[in-house]
């Protein structure tokens, strides 16, 4: 075990440390896998039940057409965001500390998008016709309506998924070369195939750097656009509480906030289980915590701005919606979300808290809950009390929605478990970059 | 690269050695050098002459194509299907820009990656010069030279701190 | 309906007298039902894909509205009002619209049944069933016990009633009863006492300028609601700065009360005293100018003790108010007082009816707005006392056989009246019934009857209106009509009885009876011409003759005997029962459309409730949905509480109609029957005893009423707007300024040909909700059931929103029909990813079901929340599926649907116009809701045509659009409700 104060390692040692995760799994892994599979199977059963019976098995109803499913969609897309933020934005900003966490954050991005992508299909009334949302020439000569934000979603989330996968893959290529050189048999063939003939020659490295930079450059506006588009699912509507110009930056900040929380939630146990404290040090976690102070404050501003504008606009519908949000049926969710997302991250101002893994872990969970509730509050409180009082209603999720939501976490974790055993969870070559040779000390960069 | 020649490969355990080897080789007029590195070392890169790479142009081309395709797709199909929604014009540019933007990124990334695969493939050297340690903890300097200068190169590499030096004919 | 509609209707509705062809069809009653009609040999009139209309008469309540039934490929798919019928003039109420669900009810008795010894029923052939009945009857006849046979029928038309009496006479009995749960005993008694006329007059609401109703809910159930609603809307229409006034008196704010200028809340059972107080005030002010001295003298004596001051003490209405009302009633002419609730069950119905009739008499309304005629159909209805006497006889074992036709006495009589037990003492009980209701379930032999829509018959609601009923389609099940069964039974009993009923079928009897009518009417055409003409138009009408009316001299004493408010019955809480707008007396309870139809005031569906005032609720610790136990001296019921500020604090009100223990899957085991709270002896002469004290206890049970309402306050949003009558003239001058469009970001829609639009006059809408059922019937809108209503999954394409303005005491109700607004800038359209929602050039917001994948974004983004999502695959249990309109798709689960402005009707009218090479005429297209609206509150047409009625109305100074600030540019313009300026 490497402790933080003896952060010394050779390249060989780095390699051994970082590929230790790929060793045959133990009981903990299988136990976790079992739980994940059971939950997932139950969720699949719930979904099949919903498919057969109709969407009415969910708690949705006439004023409240969207509920937990869209909450989950926005939540998971949000989770996806900090992967790209860490790997692309921090790369562009030359924050080298990202190297320790970028790989797992990117993996998280992909799996989160894969999870998020399920929900627009699950929430459809007729999911078996989901392909009608895709622009392709077909018998019925249907075409998609590019004016619909849901089609923007298809393009944005679709692009985001493809780009995230490719970005992730690009980052993996040198490591795949390494793995190819250190494995045998089918694994060697598999890694070799995906390594695409990587040798680490200076020309390859040069192209690679350029490509990586370009990809980071592409991914950065993309990540901003994706959650902006997701926010426009709401903001282009005329619903009070949705119809707001601050939604795009507000959602992007929220997405990063929740994504960072999820990174912490995943990394803290990972570094513990695989004894990676030397590579994912408290310093890394502390940096994330500091970032979350920033995103939390942006959220605080956004929440306040929403209320201010509702008051300042003198629009009775808008005003009512926000009064209802803070005092109505879903007020408990609103206050929880405000507390978890805004107040709790302020604890990170205390060094003691932001350097304690226990605190970090607990707070990251709270923020995850808070961010999930934020989406629920936005969706449900607006829909249940919109323009015509006679059409007001309320919403309560059913067991089907709860099961499928639980299943989404299982699905996400399943992929993460597969990833952990298949690929190095920390970029080997990037760690080598930030550790000087020989023998050596981690460079003290930002 | 020459059709026939001798390649001398020196193995180093640290970037500093590689850097001094490259400097020495350059001073001695050996330009045809390839360096193997387990990490993306900017220190090595600065020692080498910059190479023109077409990836930037590819990326730009892909992005531009994506933007164009996005606009063509949205505007073209809207004209084909002139259905009015919400009182908006048939060609509603602001929403179409969203689609166009996403496709700009998508095609830009795809073009960039195609460029990368092509470049990786192009800059691959013969596997017999490669050593599997190069991807883990060793650096390699691979110099192509005439038969009569092999000894000079070997000496240069050893002096620079190479752990081992070998030559391969091809 | 608009006059224009009437003409065009004749053009394209082929209202056909079926004559011989249909008679042949009907003759095949015993054949198995056919679901598909093969067109190998097409019947002459039937063109596949084209509707064929048959005129008949609605038999859902005693009003007797004319109906036309649209049939497609041999099955009835839609009921509409007969535009040429004098009673309803083209409109129908919710119950009339739902008559098809009686015809197609899945719980109909499908074949004759005979009771086994173990109490179960076994299906038998008609042969066997009739044989059994004939054997019983013939035995009784030979034993000379014909007298011991009684026949109780629901209210049937003239010819059938004659036939029943003739048949019973042949059997040797004169014991024929007509049973109606809501028989208007009180009203008939009042007229008997005052004028010696056991009848119900015709009330002309349209002619009146001032109406006061003493508990008469004439807009929902009272006598002839469609006719009265039409008259009411005429009276309430704005003319030259004026609008007729209407006051409602009673302990509960009913739908009718909600349409009044003011609700005068009287202590329960004291409505009649208020009327007498008014008479006192009128007489003392010398305003009864039309009265002769003798009549006046008696009156003076009668009301002497009812000075406004005294009456104020009794009723709780301020003295000043009574005097003001009286003055207005006497001076604003013609005026009209309506009194007496629907049946003997409502509080002090006779007293109220007496008061109202006297008021009319005093100011000279009789002959003006109140027309007594030689009869009304309700005259034939047996008094409760007669039914009670029959029950007694049955109890004493004096009845050998009881024949019951469509009368649910077990359900509709107070439990304490003991009819169910008495029935057990009758050895032979034969039911002629469509449904296995509580009474039929007690029978020994059940002969399944045709639905009225499958039967021949006639019905005359009053003198001068002779409506015909004809079968509109081949019978679905192995059923027969009562007339045919009686004729057939007579032939089987014995030859003597057969000889007295020589007709081959009821059809022949009916024709013969109508040939008599023809002579009576002085019509000299050949009978066949007369008959065909009558069938085609649904009957024959001529103006009724007025009867002259005099106050009976001995009336005064009788009245005084009637009017007692017994001090010992003064309790803290009283009971008020009222017939339900949808279920009427309970007969509608097996129709899913009616069960699902929200009550106009409470918006509760599927089940009953007890209305409790908020103060009382607080005192008792009752919350919404808490099940309360209501105990009267006669029984106990449990019902979930509904906190309602339209009820007096000292009254608890329950709607009638629920609480069936049988009667099919939709009615059974739902709610409790409040009839068990009623006195078993509310005889015709004991009106005061209908004031029933009750006690309320809260139970621990909870049952949330399945309400479709969100919030009934507008929260200052200006949704259902009103304008003071004095402001209208001023507004009209500045109206053109208001019409100026907002600046638009984008150019307006071109609408090359038409722009379909609607105008909804909130001043005319009474909230009766007929449009909701009409829409469901026309557009195959599914019924979702109580559980889904509770979770907010109602599917109605149109709803009536009720908003309450309660500014400290005075409750102002506004009803707002809300349907798809077909916005030009529809927020639902651009958010749909698949173009399932898009805008048509003619202004319709179209929904393409096949394209819909069910994202529900359109619904979320609809500010009017009128889109409906198919959460499940909804069922139409066989044979309800036969009612489905073949012109409209049945939607599958997972798609969004909504109002289409009845695009199929627009399409149909356009096709016809195109075939005839002419443009569409204004009024030619009427969506189902517009068609059935009794008050013509909804007007549909082309907004592009500046001459169309809808365009003209859309320019009215009362115009506004709901949520106009959102700039959705809706196609529906609302006209503000008009508010009177001052009290009285």
């Amino acid at each position: 075990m490497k402790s933080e104060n003896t952060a010394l390692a050779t390249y060989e040692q780095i390699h051994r440390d970082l590929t230790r995760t790929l060793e045959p799994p133990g009981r903990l892994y299988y136990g976790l896998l079992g739980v994940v599979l059971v939950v997932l199977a139950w969720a699949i059963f719930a979904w099949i039940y919903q498919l057969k019976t109709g969407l009415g098995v969910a708690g949705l109803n006439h004023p409240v057409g969207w509920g937990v499913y869209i909450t989950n969609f926005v939540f998971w897309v949000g989770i996806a965001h900090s992967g790209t933020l860490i790997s692309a934005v921090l790369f562009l900003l030359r924050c080298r500390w990202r190297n320790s966490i970028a790989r797992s954050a990117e993996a998280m991005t992909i799996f989160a998008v894969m999870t998020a992508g399920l929900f627009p299909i699950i929430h459809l009334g007729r999911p078996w016709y989901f392909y009608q949302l895709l622009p392709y020439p077909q018998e019925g000569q249907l075409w998609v309506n590019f004016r619909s934000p849901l089609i923007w979603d298809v393009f944005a989330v679709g692009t985001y998924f493809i780009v995230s996968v490719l970005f992730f893959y690009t980052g993996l290529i040198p490591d795949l070369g390494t793995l190819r050189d250190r494995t045998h048999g089918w694994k060697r063939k598999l890694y070799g195939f995906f390594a695409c003939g990587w040798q680490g020659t200076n020309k390859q490295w040069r192209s690679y750097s350029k490509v990586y930079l370009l990809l980071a450059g592409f991914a950065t506006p993309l990540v901003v656009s994706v959650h902006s588009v997701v926010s426009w699912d709401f903001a282009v509507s005329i619903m009070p509480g949705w119809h707001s110009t601050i939604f795009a930056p507000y959602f992007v900040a929220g997405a990063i906030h929740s994504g960072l929380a999820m990174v912490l939630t995943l990394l803290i146990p990972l570094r513990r289980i695989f004894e990676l404290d030397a590579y994912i040090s408290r310093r890394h976690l502390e940096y994330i915590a500091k970032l979350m102070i920033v995103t939390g404050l942006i959220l605080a501003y956004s929440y306040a701005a929403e209320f201010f504008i509702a008051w300042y606009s003198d629009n009775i519908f808008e005003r009512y919606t926000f009064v209802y949000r803070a005092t109505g049926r879903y007020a408990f969710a609103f206050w929880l979300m405000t507390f978890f997302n805004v107040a709790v991250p302020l604890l990170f101002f205390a060094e003691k808290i932001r350097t304690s893994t226990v605190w970090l872990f607990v707070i990251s969970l709270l923020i995850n809950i808070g961010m999930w509730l934020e989406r629920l509050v936005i969706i449900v409180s607006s829909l249940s009390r919109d323009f015509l009082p006679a059409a007001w209603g309320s919403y309560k999720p059913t067991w089907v929605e709860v099961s499928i939501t639980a299943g989404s976490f299982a699905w996400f974790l399943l992929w993460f478990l597969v990833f952990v055993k298949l690929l190095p969870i920390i970029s080997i070559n990037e760690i080598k970059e930030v550790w000087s040779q020989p023998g050596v000390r981690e460079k003290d960069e930002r | 690269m020459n059709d026939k020649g001798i390649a001398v490969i020196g193995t180093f355990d640290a970037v500093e050695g590689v850097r001094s080897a490259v400097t020495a080789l350059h001073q001695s007029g050996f330009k045809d050098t390839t360096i193997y590195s387990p990490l993306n070392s900017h220190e090595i890169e600065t020692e080498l002459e910059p190479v023109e790479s077409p990836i930037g142009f590819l990326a730009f081309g892909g992005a531009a194509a994506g933007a164009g395709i996005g606009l063509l797709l949205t505007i073209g199909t809207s004209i084909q299907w002139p259905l009015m929604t919400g009182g908006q014009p048939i060609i509603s540019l602001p929403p179409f820009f969203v689609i166009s933007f996403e496709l700009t990124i998508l095609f830009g990334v795809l073009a960039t990656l195609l460029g990368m695969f092509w470049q990786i493939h192009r800059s691959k050297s013969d596997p017999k010069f490669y050593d599997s340690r190069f991807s883990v903890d060793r650096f390699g300097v691979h110099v192509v030279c005439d038969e009569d200068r092999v000894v000079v190169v070997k000496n240069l590499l050893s002096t620079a701190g190479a752990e081992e030096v070998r030559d391969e004919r091809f | 309906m608009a006059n224009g509609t009437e003409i065009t209707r004749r053009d394209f509705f082929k209202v056909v007298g079926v004559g011989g062809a249909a008679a042949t069809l009907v003759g095949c009653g015993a054949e198995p039902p056919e679901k598909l009609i093969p067109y190998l040999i097409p019947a002459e009139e039937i063109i596949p894909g084209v509707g064929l209309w048959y005129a008949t008469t609605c038999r859902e309540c005693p009003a007797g509205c004319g109906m036309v039934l649209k049939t497609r490929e041999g099955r009835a798919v839609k009921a509409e009002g007969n535009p040429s019928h004098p009673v309803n003039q083209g409109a129908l109420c919710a119950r009339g619209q739902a008559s098809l669900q009686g015809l197609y009810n899945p719980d109909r008795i499908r074949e004759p049944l005979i009771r086994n010894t173990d109490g179960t029923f076994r299906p038998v052939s008609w042969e066997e069933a009739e044989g059994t009945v004939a054997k019983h009857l013939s035995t009784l006849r030979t034993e000379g016990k014909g007298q011991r046979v009684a026949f109780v029928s629901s209210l049937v038309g003239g010819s059938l009633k004659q036939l029943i009496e003739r048949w019973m006479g042949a059997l040797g009995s004169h014991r024929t009863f007509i049973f109606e749960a809501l028989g208007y005993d009180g009203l008939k008694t009042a007229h008997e006492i005052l004028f010696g006329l056991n009848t119900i007059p015709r009330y002309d609401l349209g002619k009146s300028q001032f109406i006061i109703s003493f508990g008469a809910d004439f807009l929902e159930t009272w006598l002839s609601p469609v006719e009265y609603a039409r008259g009411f809307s005429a009276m309430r229409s704005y003319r030259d700065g004026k609008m007729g006034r209407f006051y409602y008196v009673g302990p509960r704010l009913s739908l009718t009360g909600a349409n009044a200028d003011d609700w005068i809340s009287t202590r329960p059972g004291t409505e009649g005293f208020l009327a007498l107080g008014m008479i006192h005030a009128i007489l003392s002010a010398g305003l009864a100018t039309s009265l002769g001295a003798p009549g006046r003298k008696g009156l003076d004596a009668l009301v002497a003790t009812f000075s406004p001051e005294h009456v104020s003490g009794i009723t709780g209405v301020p003295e000043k108010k009574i005097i003001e009302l009286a003055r207005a009633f006497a001076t604003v002419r013609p005026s009209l007082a309506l009194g007496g609730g629907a049946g003997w069950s409502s509080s002090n119905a006779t007293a109220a009816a007496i008061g109202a009739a006297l008021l009319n008499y005093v100011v000279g309304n009789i002959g003006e707005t109140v027309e007594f005629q030689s009869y009304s159909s309700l005259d034939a209805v047996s008094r409760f006392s007669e039914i009670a006497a029959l029950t007694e006889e049955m109890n004493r074992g004096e009845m050998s056989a009881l024949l019951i036709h469509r009368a649910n006495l077990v359900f509709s009589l107070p439990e304490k009246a003991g009819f169910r037990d008495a029935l057990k003492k009758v050895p032979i009980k034969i039911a002629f019934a469509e449904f296995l209701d509580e009474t039929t379930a007690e029978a020994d032999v059940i002969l399944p009857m045709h639905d009225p829509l499958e039967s021949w018959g006639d019905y005359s609601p009053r003198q001068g209106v002779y409506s015909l009923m004809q079968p509109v389609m081949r019978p679905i099940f192995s059923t027969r009509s009562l007339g045919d069964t009686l004729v057939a039974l007579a032939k089987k009993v014995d030859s003597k009885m057969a000889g007295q009923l020589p007709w081959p079928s009821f059809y022949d009897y009916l024709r013969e009876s109508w040939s008599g009518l023809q002579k009576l009417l002085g019509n000299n055409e050949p009978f066949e011409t007369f008959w065909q003409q009558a069938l085609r138009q649904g009957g024959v009408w001529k103006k009724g003759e007025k009867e002259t009316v005099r106050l009976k001299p001995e009336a005064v004493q009788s009245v005084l005997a009637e009017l007692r408010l017994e001090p010992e019955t003064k309790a803290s809480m009283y009971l008020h029962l009222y017939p339900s707008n949808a279920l009427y007396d309970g007969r509608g309870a097996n129709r899913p459309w009616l069960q699902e139809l929200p009550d106009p005031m409470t918006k509760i569906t599927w089940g009953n409730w007890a209305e409790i005032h908020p103060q009382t609720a607080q005192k008792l610790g009752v919350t919404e949905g808490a099940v309360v136990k209501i105990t009267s001296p006669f029984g106990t019921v449990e019902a979930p509480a509904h906190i309602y500020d339209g009820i007096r604090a000292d009254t608890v009100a329950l709607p009638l109609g629920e609480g069936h223990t049988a009667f099919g899957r939709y009615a059974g085991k739902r709610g409790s029957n409040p009839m068990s709270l009623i006195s078993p002896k509310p005889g015709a002469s004991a009106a005061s005893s209908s004031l029933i004290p009750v006690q309320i206890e809260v139970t621990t049970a909870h049952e949330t009423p399945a309400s479709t309402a969100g919030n009934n306050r507008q929260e200052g949003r200006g949704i259902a707007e009103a304008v003071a009558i004095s402001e209208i003239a001023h507004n009209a001058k500045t109206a053109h300024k208001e019409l100026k469009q907002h600046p638009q970001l984008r150019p307006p829609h071109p609408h090359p040909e038409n722009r379909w639009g609607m105008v909804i006059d909130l001043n005319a809408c009474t909230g009766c909700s007929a449009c909701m059922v009409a829409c469901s019937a026309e557009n195959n809108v599914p019924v979702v059931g109580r559980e889904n209503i509770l979770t907010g999954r109602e599917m109605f394409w149109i709803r009536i929103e009720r908003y309450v303005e309660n500014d400290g005491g005075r409750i102002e109700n506004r009803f707002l029909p809300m349907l798809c607004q077909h916005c030009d800038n529809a927020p639902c359209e651009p958010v749909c990813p698949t173009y399932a929602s898009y805008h048509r050039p003619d202004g319709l917001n179209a929904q393409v079901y096949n394209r819909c994948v069910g994202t529900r974004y359109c619904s979320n983004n609809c500010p009017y929340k009128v889109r409906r999502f198919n959460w499940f695959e909804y069922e139409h249990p066989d044979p309800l599926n036969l009612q489905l309109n073949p012109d409209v798709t049945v939607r599958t689960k997972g798609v969004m649907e909504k109002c289409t402005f009845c695009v199929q009707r627009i399409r149909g009218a356009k096709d016809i116009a195109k075939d005839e090479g002419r443009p569409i005429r204004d009024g030619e297209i009427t969506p189902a809701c517009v068609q059935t609206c009794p008050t013509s509150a909804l007007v549909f047409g082309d907004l592009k045509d500046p001459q169309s009625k809808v365009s003209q109305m859309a320019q009215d100074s009362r115009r506004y659009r709901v949520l106009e600030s959102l700039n959705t540019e809706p196609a529906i313009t609302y006209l503000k409700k008009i508010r009177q300026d001052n009290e009285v």
Side-chain angles (χ1 to χ4, degrees), chain B residues 69-120:
Chain B
I69 290 169
L71 284 179
L72 272 179
L73 183 77
T74 48
I75 295 172
T77 58
S78 295
I79 291 168
Q80 280 285 306
W81 270 95
L83 297 177
M84 198 148 15
T85 59
Q88 296 173 348
I90 297 299
I91 297 169
S92 313
L93 288 177
F96 295 175
F97 285 148
V98 175
I99 305 289
S100 183
F101 176 82
E102 300 300 338
L103 291 185
T104 305
I105 304 272
L106 182 65
F107 281 73
V109 166
L110 290 176
T112 310
L113 274 174
L114 281 180
M116 180 186 76
F117 288 128
W118 173 54
Q119 286 283 330
I120 289 180

Side-chain angles (χ1 to χ4, degrees), chain A residues 10-13 15 96 135 140-148 151-153 155-160 162-163 166-167 169-170 173-175 177-182 188 194-212 214-215 217-219 221-222 224-226 229 232 428-430 432-433 435-438 443, chain B residues 13-16 33-45 48-53 55-56 59-60 63 73-75 77-78 81-85 88-92 94-96 98-99 101-110 112-113 115-117 119-127 130-139:
Chain A
T10 63
Y11 287 148
E12 176 61 30
Q13 216 167 355
H15 178 89
R96 302 293 288 274
Q141 297 211 331
L142 301 185
W143 198 253
V144 295
N145 178 8
F146 289 116
R147 281 160 239 152
S148 168
I151 290 298
W152 310 347
D153 264 353
F155 276 78
V157 177
T159 301
Y160 189 47
I162 295 169
V163 170
L166 294 177
F167 192 49
Y169 172 61
T170 306
I173 288 175
D175 282 4
T178 310
L179 291 170
R180 173 197 62 204
D181 294 344
R182 282 294 175 101
R188 186 185 171 89
F194 283 105
C196 285
W198 179 263
Q199 290 174 327
T201 69
N202 55 327
K203 279 182 185 163
Q204 283 180 333
W205 274 119
R206 183 125 13 124
S207 307
Y208 180 82
S209 305
K210 185 140 193 182
V211 166
Y212 205 80
L214 279 169
L215 289 187
F218 277 124
L222 177 65
V224 173
S225 86
V226 170
V229 165
W232 292 337
I428 302 171
N429 72 85
E430 283 181 340
K432 288 175 189 163
E433 240 178 85
W435 289 51
S436 62
Q437 165 77 13
K443 288 182 197 165
Chain B
D13 66 352
V15 160
E16 284 72 22
T33 52
T34 303
I35 296 155
Y36 302 94
S37 161
L39 56 98
N40 191 7
S41 170
H42 302 285
E43 291 154 27
I44 299 171
E45 216 171 288
L48 297 171
E49 285 171 23
V51 180
E52 283 296 310
S53 166
I55 288 177
F60 178 78
L73 183 77
T74 48
I75 295 172
T77 58
S78 295
W81 270 95
L83 297 177
M84 198 148 15
T85 59
Q88 296 173 348
I90 297 299
I91 297 169
S92 313
F96 295 175
V98 175
I99 305 289
F101 176 82
E102 300 300 338
L103 291 185
T104 305
I105 304 272
L106 182 65
F107 281 73
V109 166
L110 290 176
T112 310
L113 274 174
M116 180 186 76
F117 288 128
Q119 286 283 330
I120 289 180
H121 187 74
R122 220 176 53 127
S123 13
K124 208 162 62 174
S125 64
D126 196 312
Y130 182 72
D131 185 322
S132 64
R133 288 176 301 166
F134 290 162
S135 66
V136 182
D137 59 347
R138 291 295 183 272
F139 298 81

Side-chain angles (χ1 to χ4, degrees), chain A residues 51-52 55-56 58 60-62 65-66 123 125-126 132-133 145 148 233 237-239 320 386-387 389-390 392, chain C residues 710-711 717 791-794 803 830-833 849-857 860-861 865 869 871 893:
Chain A
L51 283 174
K52 278 186 78 84
L55 201 60
L60 303 166
N61 54 49
H62 274 132
W66 289 350
H123 106 292
R126 300 201 292 174
Q132 290 192 7
L133 294 165
N145 178 8
S148 168
D233 282 349
S237 82
I238 58 169
M239 293 295 295
Y320 183 90
D386 70 333
F387 295 98
W392 285 352
Chain C
N711 181 343
R717 297 178 175 198
T791 43
R793 274 86 171 266
E794 67 271 17
Y803 289 108
V831 298
C832 176
Y849 306 126
N850 279 345
R851 284 185 200 162
C852 179
V853 295
T855 68
R856 301 182 300 293
Y857 198 169
N860 288 349
N861 209 28
K865 286 288 172 287
F869 186 72
W871 301 100
K893 75 176 171 210

Side-chain angles (χ1 to χ4, degrees), chain C residues 462-492:
Chain C
R462 60 169 176 261
Q463 196 219 353
V465 181
Y466 309 101
S467 305
L468 263 177
M469 291 158 67
Q470 63 174 321
V472 300
M473 63 181 279
R474 182 191 291 241
I476 309 170
F477 300 117
S478 175
T479 56
R480 292 188 186 170
S481 76
L482 177 66
D484 286 338
T485 314
L486 291 181
V487 171
L489 279 173
K491 290 187 174 49
K492 286 185 181 174

Side-chain angles (χ1 to χ4, degrees), chain C residues 877-894:
Chain C
D878 190 51
L880 276 176
N881 54 348
L882 295 181
Q883 182 276 327
L884 294 173
N885 185 354
D887 293 334
V888 179
T889 324
V890 176
R891 282 76 58 183
T892 179
K893 75 176 171 210

